[in-house]
């Protein structure tokens, strides 16, 4: 965390990557007004982020562990104390909106420089955990300080509050007006609000050893729902959108609000966090809620966080190179209008990120406090060892497409909720489209479901089921089961939220189970939202600076279902 957003230090000239992007030729006809970065001849970056399973990735883990051990020993008031870096995420991280990928690129990128400096390893870059190829926690992450259950970590919430209560008081006293406004958006008026949120009644966000991580050496893998979320078919669907908002998550007015979740954020990102954090759904649909930092906004206390988010950033890089290869947009549209003179691109680039620090814990200059600074890898100057998802990137020299064709949209006719459904809708999708969607490498069907959620709907995942009769029991093994809609963290929900989920693989599964002609009703698709078993995460009454009258008794309502066919 840092208080003062002003800083006088100078930064280096643009990297080779920036210069290449700026000089790249524009190829093909672009979507109207969109400025695109085009691919240039590949050059080696200064640093490489390796797969954690590789020898180079294991070597990076040793340097990482060395730095973590140093940071855990630093006094609480030191800016590079391990928990201070995690608290930056707690007070400022965006989830459920179009700043999710860009904020986390900046957060991980600056912290990578801190680890590089403290470890004494000039070649350090975060290894990434390719959970599609290896859907279990890497064995080395259970060793030493890479395991948050290690004795070097704070052993109780009381000890955490005692150590960081004075630190937060000093932090709040040094806030700039702009920083204070950012915290007020989250309902954080003073340190007591944050400590309440972290504690058991507001969160919990803090998990003491031996319960600091849900995954164990004896059970390092995922439940069925999370295995589906990290599968190659889910990853391919996450990479399929041809526009930035479709890939990154929906637009929002500011980065501390939740608007919705694209496939990539809502499925592999959220579900890996929650499963490793102790939230487990068995094959009968019963959910148990264990402990673990990864399920909360204090998730960076678990060193696994940075391997997880290195992979999320890698997937963004894969998607960007796919877009460049086909001549598609890589950023939000440059579309100023009389309604919004800035347009999507400038509004997205201008969003303030005011709490990042450099490798020494010092505040950043103004130009590094906006989203635009992290729209490319830029001065971080790393690249990735190839991993899952590279199959979507066209080969060099592949022909450019003239424009990103807009998907065909099919709107649902909503139905009255029943005793077994929170909401349902019939979607008239042509039989030919459904037949193509049920084939491998066929049409990609993505359903965007808009749900009005209670403010504290963070547990009891809602399940999406396809062409399944009312009253029929639903489990993750059911032929019509699609996935669940998972939240992450303790963000307050104050407006309807959209979730985008892939329908093509579940449709193919249904077709295999029933026969192709029986996979869909003559009218098209029926999509329902139902509850799986389990208890909600939040059982205490929320604190007054967040709660509205009746907020804790509201029932989720389905407001809209739209299917996009690519």
């Amino acid at each position: 965390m840092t208080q003062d957003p002003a800083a006088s230090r100078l930064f280096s000239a643009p990297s080779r990557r920036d210069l290449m992007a700026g000089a790249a030729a524009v190829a093909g006809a672009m979507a109207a007004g969109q400025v695109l970065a085009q691919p240039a001849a590949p050059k080696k970056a200064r640093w490489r982020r390796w797969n954690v399973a590789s020898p180079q990735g294991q070597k990076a883990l040793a340097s990482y562990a060395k730095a973590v051990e140093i940071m855990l020993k630093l006094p609480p008031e030191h800016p590079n104390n391990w928990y201070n870096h995690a608290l930056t995420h707690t007070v400022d991280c965006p989830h459920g909106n179009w700043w999710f990928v860009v904020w986390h690129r900046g957060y991980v990128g600056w912290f990578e420089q801190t680890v590089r400096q403290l470890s004494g390893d000039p070649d350090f870059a975060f290894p990434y955990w390719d959970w599609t190829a290896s859907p279990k926690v890497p064995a080395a992450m259970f060793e030493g300080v890479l395991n948050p259950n290690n004795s070097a970590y704070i052993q109780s919430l009381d000890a955490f509050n005692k150590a960081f209560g004075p630190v937060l008081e000093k932090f709040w006293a040094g806030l700039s007006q702009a920083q204070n406004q950012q915290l007020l958006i989250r309902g954080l008026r003073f340190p007591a609000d944050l400590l309440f949120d972290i504690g058991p009644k507001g969160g919990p966000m803090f998990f003491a050893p031996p319960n600091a991580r849900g995954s164990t050496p004896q059970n390092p893998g995922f439940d069925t729902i999370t295995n589906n979320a990290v599968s190659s078919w889910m990853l391919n669907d996450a990479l399929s959108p041809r526009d930035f908002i479709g890939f990154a998550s929906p637009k929002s007015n500011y980065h501390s609000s939740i608007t919705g979740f694209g496939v990539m954020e809502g499925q592999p990102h959220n579900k890996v966090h929650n499963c490793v954090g102790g939230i487990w759904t068995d094959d009968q649909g019963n959910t148990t809620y264990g402990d673990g930092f990864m399920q909360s906004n204090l998730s960076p206390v678990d060193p696994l966080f940075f391997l997880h988010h290195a992979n999320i950033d890698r997937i963004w890089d894969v998607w960007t190179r796919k877009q460049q290869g086909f001549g598609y947009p890589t950023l939000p549209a440059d579309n100023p209008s009389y309604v919004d003179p800035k347009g999507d691109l400038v509004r997205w680039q201008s969003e303030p990120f005011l709490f990042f620090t450099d490798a020494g814990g010092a505040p950043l200059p103004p130009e590094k406090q906006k989203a635009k600074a992290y729209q490319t890898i830029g001065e971080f100057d790393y690249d990735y060892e190839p991993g899952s998802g590279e199959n979507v990137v066209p080969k060099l020299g592949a022909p450019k497409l003239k424009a990103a064709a807009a998907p065909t949209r099919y709107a649902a006719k909503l139905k009255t909720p029943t005793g077994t459904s929170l909401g349902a809708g019939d979607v008239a999708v042509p039989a030919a489209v459904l037949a193509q969607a049920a084939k491998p490498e066929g049409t990609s069907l993505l359903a965007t479901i808009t749900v009005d959620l209670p403010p504290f709907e963070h547990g009891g995942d809602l399940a999406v089921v396809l062409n399944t009769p009312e009253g029929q029991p639903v489990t993750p093994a059911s032929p019509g089961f699609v996935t669940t809609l998972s939240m992450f963290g303790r963000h307050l929900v104050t407006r309807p939220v959209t979730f985008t989920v892939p329908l093509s693989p579940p449709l193919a599964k249904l077709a295999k189970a029933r026969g192709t002609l029986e996979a869909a009703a003559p009218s098209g698709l029926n999509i329902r939202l139902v509850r799986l078993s389990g208890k909600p995460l939040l059982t205490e009454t929320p604190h007054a600076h967040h709660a509205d009258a009746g907020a804790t008794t509201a029932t989720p309502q389905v407001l809209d279902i739209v299917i996009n066919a690519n």
Side-chain angles (χ1 to χ4, degrees):
M1 295 187 295
T2 183
Q3 292 86 1
D4 184 2
S8 59
R9 66 186 60 215
L10 298 175
F11 274 72
S12 60
S15 69
R16 292 167 294 165
R17 185 184 297 270
D18 289 327
L19 294 173
M20 289 188 297
V26 177
M30 298 294 106
Q34 174 66 57
V35 178
L36 305 180
Q38 292 298 311
K43 289 188 178 180
K44 186 177 180 180
R46 169 62 182 87
W47 290 279
R48 166 151 286 203
R49 290 181 173 178
W50 296 91
N51 188 316
V52 68
S54 69
Q56 298 93 332
Q58 293 293 300
K59 178 178 180 294
L61 280 188
S63 295
Y64 184 27
K66 182 179 179 181
V68 172
E69 188 170 9
I70 291 170
M71 285 185 269
L72 286 168
K73 292 178 180 178
L74 291 173
E77 61 273 12
H78 195 288
N80 278 335
N81 172 279
W82 180 253
Y83 291 89
N84 273 328
H85 282 288
L87 285 166
T88 298
H89 184 268
T90 310
V91 302
D92 198 46
C93 60
H95 295 104
N97 63 59
W98 60 342
W99 286 291
F100 162 71
V101 289
V102 70
W103 187 94
H104 284 83
R105 172 171 284 173
Y107 179 64
V108 176
W110 286 113
F111 188 63
E112 183 173 71
Q113 295 189 5
T114 300
V115 173
R116 190 177 297 147
Q117 177 173 290
L118 292 178
S119 68
D121 179 0
D123 295 323
F124 175 81
F126 273 115
Y128 68 87
W129 171 26
D130 187 347
W131 17 251
T132 298
S134 182
K136 60 181 179 180
V137 176
M141 298 305 293
F142 292 106
E143 299 175 1
V145 293
L146 296 179
N147 184 346
N149 287 311
N150 185 272
S151 60
Y153 287 80
I154 294 176
Q155 299 294 297
S156 71
L157 177 61
D158 286 344
F160 175 85
N161 289 340
K162 183 177 180 180
F164 284 91
V167 173
L168 292 174
E169 291 285 351
K170 184 177 180 180
F171 166 73
W172 243 268
L175 288 173
S176 68
Q177 182 178 2
Q179 287 176 315
N180 189 64
Q181 289 173 343
Q182 290 294 313
L183 296 186
L184 287 175
I185 290 172
R186 291 177 177 249
L188 298 175
R189 304 164 298 176
F190 30 69
D193 285 338
L194 179 57
L195 291 175
F196 188 98
D197 287 354
I198 291 172
K201 291 187 176 181
M205 294 187 199
F206 187 93
F207 299 90
N211 301 310
R213 181 188 288 162
S215 300
T216 65
Q218 296 74 32
N219 186 22
F222 299 148
D223 59 16
T224 298
I225 291 176
T226 307
N227 275 321
N228 286 337
V230 302
S231 66
S232 58
W233 64 260
M234 185 72 78
L235 180 59
N236 285 339
D237 276 308
L239 290 164
S240 68
R242 299 176 181 178
D243 66 291
F244 179 84
I245 294 173
F247 167 77
S249 286
K251 290 169 57 176
S252 178
N253 285 330
Y254 47 91
H255 75 271
S256 289
S257 70
I258 286 186
T259 303
F261 299 89
V263 176
M264 192 268 293
E265 184 184 0
Q267 292 299 310
H269 170 264
N270 286 2
K271 285 178 165 54
V272 169
H273 264 290
N274 290 339
C275 188
V276 172
I279 302 174
W280 187 277
T281 301
D282 66 22
D283 288 342
Q284 286 70 50
N286 300 301
T287 302
T288 55
Y289 294 88
D291 297 333
F293 277 107
M294 281 286 279
Q295 66 176 267
S296 80
N297 286 344
L298 260 179
S299 50
V301 171
D302 188 333
L304 191 60
F305 172 96
F306 292 96
L307 277 64
H308 178 40
H309 271 275
N311 197 44
I312 295 293
D313 184 76
R314 182 189 66 82
I315 292 169
W316 182 18
D317 180 63
V318 169
W319 180 84
T320 299
R321 289 185 285 111
K322 179 209 80 173
Q323 296 289 102
Q324 290 172 331
F326 285 123
Y328 292 160
T330 60
L331 297 174
D334 188 6
N335 55 355
S337 68
Y338 74 94
V339 176
D340 184 358
K342 290 185 176 181
D344 287 348
L345 179 63
V346 174
R347 186 167 298 282
W348 179 81
Q349 290 174 329
S350 302
E351 181 67 7
F353 298 160
L354 304 181
F355 296 94
F356 293 159
T357 60
D358 67 12
L364 303 177
E367 67 270 18
K368 297 298 180 183
Q369 295 181 4
K370 294 185 183 298
K372 183 178 182 179
Y374 311 106
Q375 67 186 26
T376 65
I377 291 171
E379 293 177 25
F380 293 141
D381 202 14
Y382 58 77
D383 63 10
Y384 285 98
E385 177 185 12
S388 298
E390 289 286 339
N391 55 288
V392 306
V393 181
K395 303 295 184 183
L396 286 176
K400 299 286 189 296
L401 302 184
K402 290 186 176 182
T408 306
R409 294 166 59 86
Y410 304 95
K413 181 179 179 180
L414 296 184
K415 304 172 75 171
T416 303
T418 67
T420 59
S421 297
L422 292 168
D426 290 326
V427 191
V429 181
V433 174
L434 294 177
Q436 283 297 318
K439 296 179 180 179
E441 308 299 326
T443 300
S444 174
L445 294 184
L446 299 178
T448 298
I449 303 170
T450 304
V451 190
D452 193 3
L453 293 170
F456 302 97
E457 185 73 30
H458 298 299
D461 281 356
L462 308 179
V464 181
V465 293
L466 187 65
N467 290 12
T468 303
E470 290 280 357
Q472 180 173 311
V474 175
T475 72
S478 300
F481 177 83
V482 177
T483 188
T484 57
L485 309 181
S486 295
M487 301 289 288
F488 163 72
R490 295 296 184 275
H491 297 281
L492 183 67
V493 181
T494 58
R495 56 180 293 176
V497 178
T498 65
F499 296 87
T500 299
V501 298
L503 297 182
S504 298
L507 185 64
K509 180 180 178 182
L510 199 60
K512 183 177 180 180
R514 301 180 180 178
T516 302
L517 297 179
E518 299 177 7
S523 59
L525 298 179
N526 173 260
I527 298 173
R528 292 195 297 125
L529 203 61
V530 302
R531 281 200 186 279
L532 293 178
S533 302
K535 62 184 180 66
L537 288 177
L538 187 70
T539 57
E540 302 283 349
T541 301
H543 46 309
H545 77 276
H546 274 169
D548 295 321
T552 59
T553 59
T555 300
Q557 296 182 347
V558 176
L559 302 182
D560 191 32
I561 301 173
V562 175
I563 293 178
N564 292 325
N566 290 311

